[in-house]
Amino acid sequence: MTIEQAVQKIRSVTGANKSEPVANHLIADLCNAMWDAGHHPRIKAIRSCLPHLHERAIQQGFHAWRASRGFRLKYPRWANPNIAGPEALAKSVSPDIATAPFTWFDPNNDGRWPGLHPRLVGYLVRIENQSLRDVMALYALIKATFGDQALYCRLSTCAVPLRKLMDEQQIERVQDINPDDLLFRVSEGKAGKDLTSTQQSALLLGWNTLTNTFLEYSERLDEKQRQAMSAFFLRPLRNRYRMHQKRPSILIRDQRHQKVKAKTDIIHTQFHKLRFLAKVRCNQASRLHAGVKTAIRSVIEGKCPFPYEFSYEEKVATESGRPVHQRVLLTLWDNASLFDHARSLGFTRNLEKAGRHRKRRTGRFARPDSRYHLQYRGVESLGESSRTEPFWFLDLFENRVFSCQRTSETEEKRAGFLEDRGYTSRLPWEFLPGLLKPIRRHTSAETQFLEHDHGYRFLHYEGIYATSLFGHLVVRMQTTTGARIGEVQQISQNPECIKQLVNVGPKAATRWLLRMFPKGRRERGDFFIDNDTKDLLIEVLRLHREVSNARQLPVIPTQSSRHPADRYILQWDGRALDQSHLNTAIRFLLYNAVLDANGACVDITSHLLRHSFATEMAGLNVPVEVIAQILHHRNLETTRYYSRPTKQQVMQAAELLFVDRIDIAAESLRHPAEIGRMLREAEGQIGALTEVVGGTCVIGNMCPAKFACVGCSGNAPDPDRRGQIEAKRDWALVQITWAAKEGLPAEQRQMRRLAADCDQVLEEMTLIERARADSSQSVAVEQEKIHASKEARRTKPGMVAHTMGPKAKGNRKASYRRGSPSRQKR
């Protein structure tokens, strides 16, 4: 059946009611016809064939057809073999490409040459220009073993700037491009003005990549085959030296490295503060989650009416050691009470239909299906001062950072906020549906109306807590082990991944070990973690068990195709969190945590945390070979870049040349041969299995902590061992006095550095103690009694409350900030 026949069949049976659902089998016939014709069946595409019908008339049949095919709500175009199968690619390319020797299309292919992923085929088929499509298809067929994800990135990186350049220069065939003329003009900025600097660099480098690939391929062909396939080759660049002088890729790379190192200069000295802040904020989100769960139980058991206003007290830990005592004010709504309240304030959207369901208690108003909505009303001070600590993430929601709406109002508000905070990108932060915001089918038009028109703030408490836990886990792993974000993604509820080592060392201690596949390796590597990280893993698993009501996590595929499906811990609602989601979790948890010299937020990412870890290790004079083993690097050049000193470190090192004269006799004790002997002794030793001064070593490779434990990034401090650090510091102070008396400035400088490291470790121990005390708070929910003087009580001095009513929208910004001296300081 053709598409026209299926459409005529539906038109013949539909009546005057445009919203009446069409029979499922009729919609299925149309979807199958579109499928066979190489189109992508979607509601929008179906409506283009049936413009006289409303979307509601099509939805039921389309969802039934999609379910019969086993597709999820969103399924890719390349799921259709008529779009992304081998036959579709063969039809879209030239006949010689469709029979290219030594490729997937070779008539003599016996399985030696693999095929292309449907996603790649779908991309190639959509390239409009025939010559460009042939070139990209031939390159993809030659490089089919390159890897699906890497090959897709390579194709898009080369094809997009080539297409733009051909459109600009009005070139029909890519083979007509003279690279010695046109590409040189691109490098000078005289051509390709629509290309970004990154696309210009990708074009110049990609051209050589393509021509080199075709040159190697031609050497495998005989003369007849070479004559047939050479029509699709690109003209090679002859004057490479002239082009190399510009080196746009090198300039872009150096600029990118300078930006990263500038951020690293700010971050790497504040690891202990980042870990403290991540822990405290995660505790605050945990108390919110626990308070709401307790309130829901109270409502169900006591059969309390809605809205249910309640509050809980908390003490938020701070770096100064003086916790902020405050009360958090919240309101719990169900669908019915929220609808009634919104209607009383002028809500009119779909009022007639929703009113019928509300009156009959059907649909989303049915009691078993009723969902709860949490309104945040503010905080009020309970201490002697009026200082409060509202949730750190309120500004992000208020300024639409997570909103995907493309209205001018939303984009302008988000762009202005991000620019004011110093972020370079103006795009919304990516997040998995159900985390920072509820899934669309769980939202309601009433909450949007109250937030937009009346200044209310509703929080998705469960997703906020989960995001905080995920972000805290990534921060903890990367600041103590230096693991890549891809390695953190591999943590799974699997005995092959999580190991417990018992009876370790002379004190028969217990250690925890994570075993993941480092980048480019086929064997698992060891990542040793301390007890705090282990407890955090248990907390993540506890939340998963509470949400899913199951003992084990579901088996899901991860972002990387290199790793099989497993019970990955970093997942939500049956989907794995990819790297963009995890970086958003880091930005969310550490928002406004670190500011640069201009007062702008430092955009903390997983890559920046790993860079900072390597810089810290290099600052301890750890050899680059050792750092490479710790970071699981295969290329030492990469390690040298990661551990390159920052500008601040270079300045401090230069100042030392003018402060002290180097005592040669003392420095001879630290001769490189002696250091080499110590490293040879440390080789093969597992630092995570040894006792270190002041904490637990989490470095599982060649252990630099044997001679630099205090201040080492791999030493996770333990407050119970404070006496060891204090004794080490007292000894260093005595040695400073002795070195000054003996005239040994080098030894004096070294002991001063040791004393400073001890002070920093003691400071971090203090922060850890405060964070642990902060996490031990119990949440006691108190129901607020509604009485006539509530409005007067809300205006009590020192309170940051969110009042309800039409006037709340005008005071929206003040309701979150005006009563918070701590925010005024920041």
Side-chain angles (χ1 to χ4, degrees), residues 278 281-282 285 392 463-473 585 588-589:
R281 288 181 172 179
C282 196
W392 74 94
I464 289 174
Y465 177 43
T467 304
S468 302
L469 274 179
F470 296 150
H472 189 196
L473 178 60
F588 173 79
L589 186 62

Side-chain angles (χ1 to χ4, degrees), residues 465-622:
Y465 177 43
T467 304
S468 302
L469 274 179
F470 296 150
H472 189 196
L473 178 60
V474 176
V475 171
R476 187 77 195 177
M477 284 291 298
Q478 294 205 292
T479 57
T480 56
T481 67
R484 298 178 179 88
I485 186 66
E487 293 159 356
V488 180
Q489 283 180 298
Q490 299 176 40
I491 303 176
S492 60
Q493 193 183 21
N494 186 338
E496 292 297 323
C497 177
I498 303 178
K499 300 285 186 180
Q500 182 181 12
L501 308 177
V502 296
N503 297 327
V504 177
K507 296 183 179 180
T510 300
R511 296 286 187 268
W512 290 87
L513 168 69
L514 299 178
R515 307 200 74 241
M516 283 89 71
F517 293 96
K519 183 179 179 181
R521 307 286 178 85
R522 296 184 178 181
E523 299 81 18
R524 291 183 181 266
D526 296 337
F527 297 82
F528 290 90
I529 59 176
D530 59 336
N531 284 329
D532 288 338
T533 309
K534 180 261 298 180
D535 294 339
L536 182 57
L537 282 172
I538 294 175
E539 186 64 26
V540 174
L541 287 173
R542 184 182 296 116
L543 177 63
H544 279 306
R545 180 175 297 181
E546 178 183 336
V547 172
S548 62
N549 197 23
R551 291 182 58 86
Q552 287 188 325
L553 296 175
V555 177
I556 58 170
T558 187
Q559 182 180 9
S560 175
S561 59
R562 299 184 183 93
H563 307 297
D566 205 342
R567 305 182 191 279
Y568 295 108
I569 288 180
L570 294 175
Q571 63 169 281
W572 192 254
D573 196 24
R575 293 177 57 186
L577 276 70
D578 60 28
Q579 296 184 11
S580 61
H581 300 152
L582 294 177
N583 275 306
T584 296
I586 296 174
R587 293 188 181 99
F588 173 79
L589 186 62
L590 298 180
Y591 162 68
N592 213 25
V594 180
L595 305 179
D596 60 14
N598 299 322
C601 294
V602 177
D603 189 5
I604 302 176
T605 62
S606 59
H607 189 63
L608 184 59
L609 292 176
R610 180 171 165 85
H611 261 275
S612 302
F613 181 87
T615 304
E616 275 288 281
M617 299 302 296
L620 296 169
N621 297 322
V622 179

Side-chain angles (χ1 to χ4, degrees), residues 672-686:
E674 176 68 12
I675 296 177
R677 183 189 63 80
M678 298 171 69
L679 285 176
R680 285 191 297 273
E681 290 180 2
E683 187 173 6
Q685 301 293 328
I686 301 180

Side-chain angles (χ1 to χ4, degrees), residues 775-806:
S775 62
S776 63
Q777 297 183 52
S778 59
V779 177
V781 171
E782 299 178 4
Q783 182 182 7
E784 297 184 13
K785 296 182 179 179
I786 303 177
H787 49 79
S789 61
K790 178 178 288 188
E791 293 298 327
R793 181 170 58 86
R794 278 182 174 153
T795 58
K796 187 167 57 177
M799 178 176 174
V800 188
H802 190 107
T803 58
M804 297 191 297

Side-chain angles (χ1 to χ4, degrees), residues 2 25 31-32 44 107 115 141 195 200 209 241 278 372 397 460 493 595 633 650 664 734 740 754 796:
T2 64
H25 71 277
C31 291
N32 289 329
K44 184 178 180 181
L141 291 170
L195 303 178
Q200 291 177 2
T209 300
Y241 177 74
Y372 302 106
F397 287 105
H460 186 47
Q493 193 183 21
L595 305 179
H633 277 160
V650 173
I664 300 299
V734 173
L754 177 60
K796 187 167 57 177

Side-chain angles (χ1 to χ4, degrees), residues 292-326:
V292 176
K293 287 293 184 181
T294 304
I296 292 175
R297 286 195 298 269
S298 301
V299 169
I300 295 175
E301 295 172 359
K303 298 181 180 180
C304 301
F306 288 98
Y308 181 81
E309 295 190 351
F310 68 99
S311 63
Y312 65 87
E313 297 182 13
E314 66 174 357
K315 292 183 179 180
V316 183
T318 61
E319 293 183 21
S320 63
R322 293 181 295 177
V324 176
H325 192 193
Q326 63 186 17

